[in-house]
Each structure stands twice: as C-alpha cells, then as structure tokens.
Amino acid sequence: MTHATASQTAGPYWHMIDFPAWADLLRADGPNAGAAGERIVLTGRITDGSGAVVPDAMVEIWQADPEGRYDSSFHGFGRCATDAEGRYRFVTVRPGAVPGPGNSTQAAHVVITIFARGLMKGLVTRAYFAGDARLSQDPVLALVPAPRRGTMISTPSDGGEWRLDIRLQGAGETVFLEV
Amino acid sequence: MADPTPYAPIAPGSQPPLDLPSYLSTSLRHPKAEPVRIPTTVTESSAPRFAPAWYAPHADLSVVQGKAALGERIVVAGRVTDENGRPVANAMVEVWQANAAGRYHHARDRHDAPLDPNFVGEGRVFTDAEGNYAFTSIKPGAYPWRNPGPGWRPQHIHFGLHGAGFAQRLITQMYFPGDPLLDFDAIFQGSGDEPARRRLVATLDPALMQADWALGYRFDIVLRGRAATPFENA
C-alpha cells in the first residue's frame, strides 16, 4: 500500500484558481440554475489565534441537496475567498438531513474546508443549523465534547443569512474534523 | 442503507503537521486541539462531480492567445491512484504556478521579477479512465518569501485534486528533481517522513520528452484509499 501524497499549503497566491462566481451555487449560468429549495446565505468571519482576521483563505463547501441526497443533479460544491475582513459568503439552498452510520440520521449540514497560507493541510468542519430538531441525535456532533458543539452550529440573522464564525486557534477554537 | 466502506486512517509520517514552527505562518493558524475523528459517512464518501461542461479543461499553460510564454516548456503528466493502487478516474486536477522568472500573475505578488504577458499560470485537466492526466506549461522559477532560511522557495507547481470521495480532497505541490533549494525549504522539509517528501518530487521522464519541443516530468499522485476491510463493530 502506497501512502497518500502529502498535503501542502495552498499558499498566498491560490487566488489564481479563485472563480468568484463559484460562491453562488444558484447562479443563473451555473449547474444549479432554477434548483428547488430554501435559498440561504452561509457566511462568517475567520480569525487566527491572535484574533486577527484571515483575509487570504480559500473556503470550500460541500453539501447535500434539499432532499438530503448527494447523488442527485444538484451540484453541492462552492468555493470563495475570504475578503479583507476575513469573511466568506456562499449562496446556496438549505440541505436536507442525510443518512448516518447504522440506522442513524445526520442533521442537515454543510461541510466547510479551509485552505490558506500557514495551513499545511485543509481544515474541515461542518455548519449545522441552530434550531434543527435533529441536532441532539446527530452522530457526528455526539463525538464532539458538548461545550464545543456550538462552534459547528450556524445561527440565523436578518435577511435569511446563517452565520458561522470560524476561529482557527485559541479561545473558542472551532472543532475541526479528521475525515 | 449499508454504511460506506471507511477510508483508511491517515498513515503516520505521511502528512505534514499543522504546527510547523519552521514555517512561521503556521504559528497563529494551526488549531491547538486535536481534530475529532469521525466515521466515514455518505458526506465523506461522496464528492462533487465536476462536469467539463461547467468546468472547462485548460491543458496548455504555455501559450496565451497564440503567443508562447518565456521559459523552458514542460509536459507534466502522471497517474492518480488511491492508496490501494486503483486509478481515480474523472478527477479534476487544478494547477497554478509562478512564471519562469518566479513571479505569480497575482496582484499581491510584489516580487521584483517581470510578468510575462504570454503566461498566466492556471490550468485545469481531468484524469482519464486509467487515472492519467497531462498538461503543458513552463518550468516555474524560484521566488522569494519571508521565512527564516535562504529566503527562496524551490521551483514548484501547486496542485489541487478532487477525487471520488470528499475525504480524498488534496492540495499539494510538485517539486523538481535536483533543486538545491529543497534542502532548505521549511514547507518541503516539514512535509512528513522521507518517503512522503520523495513522493512530492517529480521525475524527469524521457518517455514524456518531445524533441525540439518540451521537457517531460512525471508526477504520480496518491489519494486516500478505503480500508481493506470494513470496521467490525464488536
């Protein structure tokens, strides 16, 4: 068995592969034009161990469709760059709950991956949705110490936006997942 | 629904640490807590499918609007497999790099080296049914960075791959054989054990050389593989 190729940092110049349109999964000229579902904005700010914003990160999302399927025609992938204030922002649809291990069900979630200068590997976390009745039964959240679960639960704000701030290091550090 | 066959755990030594003191930018950006290991669910075993209709391939970086870029023209080709040796077909491979003078076509690159009007340095290709990919480019130059040491990064091409499962997502860098800067590069030297570092270095491949046209480098890439046997729950 050959081991996987080592990950390397995306570096400061990854914007060579930044295509800003990809941040809008529902764009009119994209693969999900006219897709059914509840339109949402998923946004937040990324900060480092000193509390400084991370203005050069590459953020990707991966999610199921509103029925909780990954194998439908819905293309659940997006990418965006954080801006000068460290903000990422995606336009998408709210995903459905998806199957979990055994007979369990995972609460609706969007996977968020962060690549950046200073990150030798991508960091993977999830955005769940506050108020979702399935959160208490989610098999992945159950693996996270209770006081830290909130770092993976986005909260609604005015205008249909769901917000999840991400702290790479230190107080309130986001829970990252080894998948 | 049966559970997905889990991905094998990450082999010790095969990957860099997030906390790498010799690479200063990691100091405030690496998480202090250990990651939470989760089972492979359908979220991690499925992955986006990148239809070329929406993600147009662009396999020749060496020419812009019919005009040739400056530098050593190279063909880079290789095979993408998983840790079990199975080819990864239809993988989207994105590449980006500096030009022959070591300058990125990027607003934040302040290096005092010339831009090449006939070179951008961004490409996208897909693997075929056997996992093979290839693109044409220009050998990138070394460029300076602010980190203790000689202050120059070795010549490299950035690679981003999406495989058949989200857990296979990889961003890496390809280096060139014999580059003396490799011995001093904090990122390369911090990339795991010696075999892990060796896998990041391409080989000059006579079979890819084209007389009077291009040098050829081979860079094979291995993505995560599924465990040989499913986990047994006692």
Side-chain angles (χ1 to χ4, degrees), chain A residues 4-165:
Chain A
T5 301
S7 174
Q8 299 276 274
T9 179
Y13 305 129
W14 72 268
H15 303 84
M16 306 266 305
I17 58 160
D18 179 28
F19 306 97
W22 294 9
D24 181 356
L25 279 66
L26 307 181
R27 59 191 181 275
D29 60 350
N32 298 320
E38 179 190 341
R39 178 188 183 278
I40 62 168
V41 170
L42 179 62
T43 186
R45 179 179 280 206
I46 305 179
T47 50
D48 72 10
S50 71
V53 301
V54 176
D56 56 1
M58 165 178 168
V59 184
E60 291 184 345
I61 60 170
W62 167 234
Q63 65 163 87
D65 73 8
E67 309 302 319
R69 299 197 69 101
Y70 288 103
D71 57 357
S72 70
S73 62
F74 184 76
H75 183 61
F77 171 81
R79 174 186 295 163
C80 80
T82 53
D83 66 14
E85 280 76 49
R87 283 184 305 239
Y88 67 91
R89 185 178 188 274
F90 293 97
V91 176
T92 184
V93 292
R94 184 170 172 152
V98 303
N103 292 319
S104 67
T105 299
Q106 302 186 72
H109 59 273
V110 175
V111 178
I112 299 176
T113 309
I114 301 160
F115 299 96
R117 173 180 65 85
L119 289 180
M120 290 293 285
K121 298 182 275 194
L123 298 177
V124 177
T125 188
R126 290 179 171 193
Y128 288 89
F129 297 89
D132 185 337
R134 295 185 188 274
L135 290 179
S136 62
Q137 303 295 320
D138 182 83
V140 168
L141 276 179
L143 299 172
V144 176
R148 300 188 66 205
R149 286 177 196 158
T151 68
M152 295 169 65
I153 300 174
S154 66
T155 53
S157 60
D158 294 340
E161 290 197 349
W162 290 84
R163 179 163 178 153
L164 185 68
D165 290 338

Side-chain angles (χ1 to χ4, degrees), chain A residues 1-17 19 22 27 29-32 47-50 53-58 60 62 68 70-77 79 82 98-103 106 109 111-113 115-124 126 139-140 143-145 148 168-170 173-179, chain B residues 1 3 8-12 14-18 20 23 25-39 41-44 46-50 54-55 82-84 92 94-97 104-106 108-110 120-124 143 153 158 162 166-167 169-173 175 186-188 190-191 196 199-200 219-224:
Chain A
M1 178 166 166
T2 307
H3 297 318
T5 301
S7 174
Q8 299 276 274
T9 179
Y13 305 129
W14 72 268
H15 303 84
M16 306 266 305
I17 58 160
F19 306 97
W22 294 9
R27 59 191 181 275
D29 60 350
N32 298 320
T47 50
D48 72 10
S50 71
V53 301
V54 176
D56 56 1
M58 165 178 168
E60 291 184 345
W62 167 234
Y70 288 103
D71 57 357
S72 70
S73 62
F74 184 76
H75 183 61
F77 171 81
R79 174 186 295 163
T82 53
V98 303
N103 292 319
Q106 302 186 72
H109 59 273
V111 178
I112 299 176
T113 309
F115 299 96
R117 173 180 65 85
L119 289 180
M120 290 293 285
K121 298 182 275 194
L123 298 177
V124 177
R126 290 179 171 193
V140 168
L143 299 172
V144 176
R148 300 188 66 205
L168 300 182
Q169 185 189 87
E173 183 174 300
T174 295
V175 170
F176 297 104
L177 306 175
E178 182 175 324
V179 301
Chain B
M1 176 186 277
D3 289 346
I10 295 164
S14 69
Q15 298 293 324
L18 283 160
L20 185 60
Y23 175 20
S25 293
T26 66
S27 63
L28 288 170
R29 292 188 167 187
H30 73 275
K32 298 280 192 186
E34 288 296 310
V36 173
R37 193 172 164 214
I38 65 168
T41 75
V42 66
T43 301
E44 291 76 34
S46 50
R49 292 178 297 278
F50 292 94
W54 298 108
Y55 297 90
D82 68 16
E83 291 173 305
N84 300 309
M92 185 167 83
E94 295 176 283
V95 296
W96 71 99
Q97 63 167 90
Y104 282 87
H105 186 84
H106 189 293
R108 292 182 202 170
D109 186 355
R110 313 310 296 176
V120 176
E122 176 269 323
R124 182 188 303 145
Y143 66 83
R153 291 226 59 220
H158 295 266
H162 290 265
F166 171 78
R169 177 76 173 112
L170 174 70
I171 286 184
T172 189
Q173 298 179 29
Y175 300 93
I187 293 174
F188 175 75
S191 298
R199 282 192 291 275
L200 296 176
F219 184 53
D220 295 327
I221 299 167
V222 182
L223 304 181
R224 302 268 305 277

Side-chain angles (χ1 to χ4, degrees), chain B:
Chain B
M1 176 186 277
D3 289 346
T5 306
Y7 280 90
I10 295 164
S14 69
Q15 298 293 324
L18 283 160
D19 180 10
L20 185 60
S22 57
Y23 175 20
L24 284 186
S25 293
T26 66
S27 63
L28 288 170
R29 292 188 167 187
H30 73 275
K32 298 280 192 186
E34 288 296 310
V36 173
R37 193 172 164 214
I38 65 168
T40 300
T41 75
V42 66
T43 301
E44 291 76 34
S45 68
S46 50
R49 292 178 297 278
F50 292 94
W54 298 108
Y55 297 90
H58 170 46
D60 188 353
L61 289 66
S62 71
V63 174
V64 170
Q65 293 181 341
K67 294 182 179 168
L70 291 169
E72 281 177 53
R73 189 182 292 115
I74 58 174
V75 169
V76 179
R79 192 158 184 247
V80 181
T81 57
D82 68 16
E83 291 173 305
N84 300 309
R86 298 189 185 98
V88 181
N90 303 316
M92 185 167 83
V93 181
E94 295 176 283
V95 296
W96 71 99
Q97 63 167 90
N99 70 19
R103 177 84 183 265
Y104 282 87
H105 186 84
H106 189 293
R108 292 182 202 170
D109 186 355
R110 313 310 296 176
H111 177 31
D112 184 23
L115 284 167
D116 181 346
N118 300 321
F119 189 77
V120 176
E122 176 269 323
R124 182 188 303 145
V125 294
F126 291 84
T127 59
D128 66 15
E130 279 74 50
N132 296 302
Y133 74 90
F135 63 94
T136 302
S137 190
I138 294 293
K139 191 174 186 183
Y143 66 83
W145 68 317
R146 291 197 175 94
N147 197 66
W152 290 78
R153 291 226 59 220
Q155 298 166 311
H156 63 276
I157 298 177
H158 295 266
F159 276 67
L161 289 96
H162 290 265
F166 171 78
Q168 295 181 315
R169 177 76 173 112
L170 174 70
I171 286 184
T172 189
Q173 298 179 29
M174 178 197 112
Y175 300 93
F176 289 85
D179 188 336
L181 286 168
L182 289 173
D183 290 344
F184 306 99
D185 186 55
I187 293 174
F188 175 75
Q189 290 297 329
S191 298
D193 58 21
E194 196 277 332
R197 296 195 295 276
R198 188 162 12 99
R199 282 192 291 275
L200 296 176
V201 182
T203 53
L204 190 68
D205 187 346
L208 293 171
M209 303 271 197
Q210 299 186 34
D212 300 327
W213 196 70
L215 287 84
Y217 289 91
R218 183 171 184 86
F219 184 53
D220 295 327
I221 299 167
V222 182
L223 304 181
R224 302 268 305 277
R226 308 277 183 146
T229 53
F231 289 139
E232 295 292 337
N233 291 319

